[in-house]
Amino acid sequence: MAVLSAAGATYFGKADAVGAQTPATPAAGAPPLPATPAPAPLALGNGEPLASQFQPWPGGTGALLERLVRERGVAAFARAPHVPPAWSGTMPAEDEDLAFLPAHRLSALLRARKLTSTRLTEIYLARLQRLNPTLNCVVTLLETQALAEARKADTEIAAGRYRGPLHGVPYGLKDLFSTRGIRTTWGVPDFKDRVIDEDAEIVVRLRDAGAVLVAKLSTGIFAQNDQWFGGRTNNPWNLSQGSSGSSAGPSSAVAAGCVAFAIGTETQGSIVSPAIRCGITALRPTFGRVSRFGGMVLAWSHDRVGPMCRTAEDCAMVFSVLHGVDEKDPSTVTTPFRFDRRVDLTRLRVGVDPDAPKELVEKLRALGLAPREIGPRPSVPGVGGGNLGVESAAAMDAYVQRKAKETGLDLAALPPTPVPTPQASADNPMAPADWNPRFVNGRVPRAFDVLQVQRRRQVLVRQWGDFMRDLDMFIGGPSADVSANAQTGHPCVVFPYAFGVPPSRPSGARVPNDPPPPVLQPQPVCATIVGGLYNDDLILAVAHRFQEATDFHARRPAL
């Protein structure tokens, strides 16, 4: 998965500002002037946004905003502060106990001045240094910068200049967001030493909130799986298994108690899948709620940014800082976010998929939920991922052209059928490699076909609007509706509901002579709740009620 970036010139070489010129008019009777060549098209990098923006609300963003004003007035656009409960009782004495505390509990300790950001940052830096050889989740450790930020936070908090619940809380960032003076690699060998000298919008917002960046964490190559130029990032619960991706480092680091929270991204499963694999809590927000400026673009109409944490309240605390309009990302919109940790479950309209985890449903029922069974979700033939491939190819065009020159590929003579994508193997463990056929295949479809896919996608959006009309959310099955919601923009929360050996998912026939899949040890097993559009606060509140009554989210891997 990936996200929207800043000006493409920052990433792939400066774009030329080429403009049309008005040719001179020859004097009467004079021979005609030679034709002026048409100016070359403006060169593009990875980040320039599209003129058209995907709108997940079936009637369009204008209709959504008008409805919000009619129902709530201008207060709908005011940011609601998130205030974690105050700390009570004795502070844990052991470093490991502090490392695994939920971020909102660490926030309470910091505000009460029972814990310093410096001590907490040192704990996380030490864990990252000790565990990274096992997990392979760190691309760049920011020890000097992090300690300086932590000391600044301690000084400000002691002086009464408290910035809010993230003040002094250490976090990790998926390494496809730009950070001034720090390398941004996208997991790609070609970019392993590249510095994009600007800060992504979410980096700015988190810094302004006082959060302390301790590490840039691994993403799979160009936001694919858990393989990056440094190798494979591992699941802390089952080290024989990768952490899944592409938010590989964030999920691994959070599960291992190496950061208080992390920021991940998703295009089609890259928050959901690693959160499930590593047994953590995470929010894939409604499309357009968080700025993607300064992050790698994979698909403008799919990419999203979300928190990856230990608890649902942690996700709410981080999201309360991240969400809202950013003029540098024209897809963004501000809608209400008011986390209610005491939400009345009896008043919610919650659907239940027949394959939803029975343990989760029964526990929520005991807490007051009155679930209703739902059937299959809408689907529209011909939507699929066709537009995703084209967007990815356009976003990576400058890189593809560069690699085509290096490899002698004639981009004007591509075959009409897709080029096979290389598969990972013992001989080729890094595949799909940085030179990736998926960015070439997206150049082949006709513009006509791409537009038809988008029209069918709008039909799907409207059908999902009808399906969710009488639901606030639904508890999904194992697939979490990832593919459909990549097209529709719906939010979901992933969180542990049990502890045991995670269910295996079929991945096709095993190749002869390949080793059998590893035997897995027990770990937190996750469920998914899909919300109605902009119901991010509601689904987090329901997950929070479940976590108040259980401890699956508090289990720790033995490392």
Side-chain angles (χ1 to χ4, degrees):
M1 141 70 222
V3 286
L4 185 80
S5 72
T10 308
Y11 300 144
F12 295 126
K14 189 167 181 61
D16 294 325
V18 179
Q21 297 181 357
T22 304
T25 303
L33 295 174
T36 303
L42 177 70
L44 295 171
N46 176 254
E48 296 84 356
L50 302 174
S52 58
Q53 298 296 321
F54 172 62
Q55 301 180 63
W57 192 257
T61 302
L64 168 67
L65 299 182
E66 188 172 277
R67 173 177 170 174
L68 287 173
V69 170
R70 184 171 63 250
E71 294 179 351
R72 308 195 190 193
V74 295
F77 308 108
R79 185 178 300 274
H82 185 97
V83 182
W87 181 269
S88 62
T90 305
M91 186 184 82
E94 299 298 323
D95 286 356
E96 180 164 325
D97 293 333
L98 287 169
F100 277 98
L101 275 182
H104 72 280
R105 297 291 74 213
L106 294 171
S107 172
L109 284 170
L110 289 163
R111 185 174 192 181
R113 304 184 197 175
K114 295 179 179 293
L115 175 67
T116 65
S117 178
T118 299
R119 180 186 172 191
L120 186 57
T121 299
E122 288 172 342
I123 289 171
Y124 284 130
L125 287 170
R127 290 184 67 82
L128 287 164
Q129 289 169 333
R130 177 170 68 85
L131 294 176
N132 190 56
T134 300
L135 300 175
N136 198 23
C137 63
V138 178
V139 180
T140 305
L141 192 68
L142 303 173
E143 183 174 10
T144 301
Q145 173 183 308
L147 289 172
E149 291 181 0
R151 287 190 289 268
K152 179 181 179 182
D154 289 333
T155 300
E156 290 178 341
I157 293 171
R161 297 194 298 273
Y162 185 65
R163 301 194 192 189
L166 296 187
H167 203 172
V169 179
Y171 79 100
L173 182 70
K174 187 175 180 180
D175 190 32
L176 45 68
F177 289 102
S178 57
T179 42
R180 190 178 299 278
I182 304 166
R183 63 177 178 162
T184 302
T185 74
W186 300 356
V188 180
D190 279 346
F191 300 150
K192 64 184 178 65
D193 298 316
R194 177 188 57 177
V195 174
I196 301 171
D197 202 25
E198 67 181 0
D199 287 318
E201 174 65 17
I202 62 164
V203 173
V204 174
R205 293 191 182 197
L206 289 168
R207 182 191 299 123
D208 289 347
V212 175
L213 178 59
V214 295
K216 297 193 76 172
L217 302 172
S218 59
T219 175
I221 293 176
F222 282 122
Q224 288 187 107
N225 58 55
D226 46 30
Q227 300 276 352
W228 57 291
F229 67 81
R232 187 188 76 180
T233 300
N234 295 319
N235 172 10
W237 291 94
N238 281 286
L239 295 172
S240 62
Q241 188 180 52
S243 64
S244 186
S246 66
S247 299
S251 59
S252 180
V254 168
C258 289
V259 289
F261 69 90
I263 303 298
T265 63
E266 172 156 341
T267 300
Q268 186 167 294
S270 288
I271 289 175
V272 172
S273 181
I276 291 173
R277 175 64 61 83
C278 295
I280 64 170
T281 304
L283 173 68
R284 177 193 69 201
T286 301
F287 178 87
R289 296 205 70 171
V290 180
S291 173
R292 305 165 302 175
F293 177 84
M296 186 192 92
V297 175
L298 194 57
W300 291 273
S301 72
H302 294 68
D303 296 342
R304 297 183 240 182
V305 182
M308 305 184 76
C309 306
R310 277 186 270 286
T311 71
E313 175 148 359
D314 291 354
C315 289
M317 183 174 75
V318 176
F319 189 72
S320 69
V321 169
L322 294 182
H323 82 95
V325 163
D326 173 21
E327 292 186 5
K328 300 182 296 300
D329 180 352
S331 75
T332 51
V333 61
T334 296
T335 59
F337 181 81
R338 291 176 171 82
F339 175 72
D340 179 6
R341 62 178 61 89
R342 301 308 306 158
V343 66
D344 184 357
L345 298 183
T346 66
R347 302 182 62 181
L348 297 180
R349 305 169 300 168
V350 180
V352 174
D353 184 275
D355 293 329
K358 291 182 173 51
E359 304 96 317
L360 169 62
V361 175
E362 290 309 309
K363 187 64 177 180
L364 289 174
R365 193 190 300 273
L367 294 171
L369 191 72
R372 58 184 80 174
E373 187 169 323
I374 58 172
R377 266 66 79 199
S379 63
V380 173
V383 177
N387 56 327
L388 173 57
V390 172
E391 288 190 45
S392 298
M396 296 298 170
D397 175 53
Y399 183 72
V400 167
Q401 291 193 46
R402 166 185 152 187
K403 299 301 284 189
K405 291 178 181 178
E406 292 177 8
T407 60
L409 176 66
D410 184 357
L411 293 174
L414 292 175
T417 55
V419 178
T421 299
Q423 299 299 312
S425 66
D427 296 328
N428 189 20
M430 294 300 292
D434 56 324
W435 175 226
N436 195 319
R438 71 176 177 159
F439 297 147
V440 177
N441 293 338
R443 306 172 75 92
V444 175
R446 300 181 303 167
F448 173 87
D449 296 326
V450 173
L451 289 176
Q452 297 299 74
V453 168
Q454 292 289 8
R455 296 175 68 194
R456 294 185 184 99
R457 183 180 181 186
Q458 181 63 16
V459 172
L460 181 68
V461 164
R462 290 188 174 276
Q463 289 186 359
W464 266 77
D466 292 339
F467 177 80
M468 297 293 295
R469 193 179 309 279
D470 297 320
L471 293 173
D472 296 310
M473 65 193 74
F474 67 85
I475 303 172
S479 68
D481 294 272
V482 163
S483 182
N485 293 151
Q487 304 291 336
T488 63
H490 285 76
C492 76
V493 58
V494 175
F495 60 100
Y497 74 92
F499 191 85
V501 176
S504 59
R505 297 183 181 179
S507 57
R510 190 161 63 86
V511 177
N513 302 322
D514 270 9
V519 176
L520 300 181
Q521 301 301 313
Q523 69 167 71
V525 180
C526 289
T528 307
I529 297 180
V530 176
L533 292 170
Y534 308 101
N535 280 353
D536 308 68
D537 45 8
L538 275 183
I539 59 177
L540 287 172
V542 171
H544 172 75
R545 290 294 308 275
F546 180 84
Q547 290 182 331
E548 276 190 319
T550 60
D551 70 348
F552 304 115
H553 61 282
R555 308 288 179 92
R556 307 178 190 175
L559 290 166

